[in-house]
Amino acid sequence: MTEYVNKSIHIHKNLIFLRKSRDLTIEEFAEKLDVSRQTVAKWEKGTTVSDIIKCDAIAAFYNITIDDLLHYDGETSVMPIAPRGKYFFGTVTIDEKGQIIIPQKAREIFSLKTASQLVVLGDETQGIALVTDDTFMDSMQDLLDHFYPK
């Protein structure tokens, strides 16, 4: 059990990263969570761990999952902790026919199956995005409703 905990719990490193990435001092972060500066300092040193209620509050404050707060390993990942609901699935390669394979985890999260329809959107400055046809049509309807109210 100790081996699992040592390898998988990175909360103290993640707390430091998240606080510094938001340009917060220990005092400012402590105030937001309604705890003492000393409590936050102990969490960040790894000498104590916050209870599950505070972990939930921390995750909500930073808009991340509790799982990422506890288990994200910044030393082995090339990407920082993503906000809740945001994903990075890695890279794909375009084959000779211009086809790509969408990573399995992405297909599972977005319920993509064979013959699923995706809309390809592009912006020369921001890149390409794939959106499900239902999501695209819903967005277009919202846009039409906004500009042409009934």
Side-chain angles (χ1 to χ4, degrees), residues 35-79:
V35 297
S36 71
R37 181 198 111 16
Q38 292 83 358
T39 297
V40 173
K42 288 179 183 178
W43 292 345
E44 289 188 0
K45 287 180 187 170
T47 56
T48 64
V49 179
S50 62
D51 63 33
I52 192 69
I53 302 300
K54 285 297 182 195
C55 282
D56 186 49
I58 293 166
F61 177 77
Y62 288 122
N63 191 28
I64 62 172
T65 65
I66 291 177
D67 186 56
D68 278 340
L69 177 63
L70 297 176
H71 302 288
Y72 174 81
D73 184 356
E75 293 176 11
T76 61
S77 180
V78 296
M79 299 297 293

Side-chain angles (χ1 to χ4, degrees), residues 91-146:
T91 61
V92 295
T93 303
I94 300 172
D95 70 12
E96 306 82 42
K97 295 180 182 179
Q99 299 170 328
I100 62 170
I101 297 180
I102 298 171
Q104 180 179 350
K105 180 97 174 150
R107 293 191 314 264
E108 290 170 357
I109 288 172
F110 295 104
S111 302
L112 300 175
K113 307 211 179 337
T114 301
S116 290
Q117 295 287 304
L118 299 174
V119 176
V120 180
L121 304 174
D123 180 306
E124 287 185 6
T125 61
Q126 297 199 20
I128 294 174
L130 300 174
V131 182
T132 61
D133 60 343
D134 292 340
T135 301
F136 180 76
M137 293 307 294
D138 290 345
S139 296
M140 289 299 99
Q141 189 60 55
D142 290 345
L143 193 60
L144 288 172
D145 291 345
H146 175 77

